[in-house]
Amino acid sequence: MVKNETGYKNLIHLSSLSYLNKGSDVGISISDLEGYSDGLFCFLGGEFNPLLILNNQNKKNDDLIKKLQQLFKNNLFLELQRISDSELDAFEDQLINISNEFNIPLIGTNNIKFGEEEDFQAHDALLCVAQKTTINSGSRKTSNNQIAFKSSQQMIEALGLKAAKQAMIAAAQEAHKGAVGAIGLANFDYVHLGLIDNMAMFADPFAASGQ
């Protein structure tokens, strides 16, 4: 995510580098980020979270975290997603512990794949095509209606702010505040570049709800 014009230029460089390396399983490496991380936010999480991958391989992630902190400083966030993904759900407590241990803010995000919840069946069918399999296959990657676009209120509910566990409520509130803070910091004006006509302004729903 771009924070300013320097970040935009760095993102263009990294995107081009990733395209040129498209024959590789990994678009860019950590070393590629060196010298090109200024003005960028780094959100670490989701289905391709390297911390999750290292955890599944029983490998330590401390070195990676410290390196990313060195590169992105206060612009590094950990993504908290509630999208009915069993693997992410199982890793969530560890992610929150990492946030506390390394003092990295949580940010509530959503792995958006389509616009409306009812579109998930069409997305599921497309995943079948991509995997060259059928709907009935039990071993394939599947879709669900939780990766549709969500409103602010839906994100609050998805992050568990109405759940009973106070610790999880606190973590979810921190994740939301991280998202609002990141939006506030990402004030780069794309308009003068002719990319878009305007940018939507987001209000903090916690302020209105009193949560």
Side-chain angles (χ1 to χ4, degrees):
M1 183 172 173
V2 171
K3 182 178 182 179
N4 51 38
E5 186 168 356
T6 298
Y8 176 76
K9 292 177 180 178
N10 284 335
L11 182 61
I12 292 297
H13 169 82
L14 294 170
S15 297
S16 300
L17 191 61
S18 176
Y19 179 80
L20 293 173
N21 292 339
K22 62 182 179 180
S24 170
D25 290 336
V26 180
I28 58 173
S29 65
I30 295 294
S31 61
D32 293 327
L33 292 170
E34 295 178 356
Y36 296 95
S37 60
D38 288 350
L40 291 174
F41 291 106
C42 176
F43 296 164
L44 196 58
E47 59 187 321
F48 301 115
N49 183 356
L51 303 181
L52 173 61
I53 295 171
L54 288 173
N55 179 76
N56 291 341
Q57 296 174 349
N58 294 315
K59 295 180 180 179
K60 293 184 178 180
N61 51 36
D62 292 20
D63 291 342
L64 174 61
I65 294 171
K66 291 175 181 177
K67 182 61 177 179
L68 290 173
Q69 283 184 309
Q70 178 184 348
L71 286 168
F72 292 97
K73 300 178 175 60
N74 293 332
N75 295 328
L76 176 64
F77 293 82
L78 297 179
E79 292 185 72
L80 190 67
Q81 293 185 352
R82 303 274 174 81
I83 55 173
S84 297
D85 184 303
S86 58
E87 194 171 29
L88 293 183
D89 292 342
F91 187 65
E92 183 174 293
D93 285 348
Q94 294 184 56
L95 191 69
I96 293 172
N97 289 336
I98 291 171
S99 170
N100 292 329
E101 180 181 353
F102 291 92
N103 196 29
I104 303 173
L106 291 167
I107 182 168
T109 65
N110 187 37
N111 187 15
I112 302 171
K113 301 294 188 183
F114 40 84
E116 305 294 336
E117 288 188 11
E118 55 267 25
D119 294 337
F120 90 90
Q121 291 181 328
H123 182 249
D124 201 41
L126 289 173
L127 287 177
C128 288
V129 174
Q131 298 170 85
K132 299 180 180 179
T133 186
T134 64
I135 292 286
N136 296 327
S137 175
S139 59
R140 68 180 180 85
K141 183 177 179 61
T142 61
S143 182
N144 70 76
N145 63 2
Q146 292 303 304
I147 51 178
F149 179 82
K150 291 184 175 71
S151 66
S152 295
Q153 185 58 39
Q154 287 175 314
M155 284 298 294
I156 290 172
E157 294 173 358
L159 287 168
L161 292 180
K162 296 182 180 179
K165 295 182 180 179
Q166 292 302 313
M168 298 307 294
I169 291 175
Q173 286 179 326
E174 180 187 352
H176 171 77
K177 290 175 182 176
V180 173
I183 291 169
L185 290 171
N187 58 2
F188 176 51
D189 181 9
Y190 291 85
V191 177
H192 75 281
L193 295 175
L195 298 179
I196 57 175
D197 293 328
N198 56 70
M199 295 190 70
M201 300 300 293
F202 295 88
D204 183 351
F206 283 115
S209 64
Q211 294 177 311

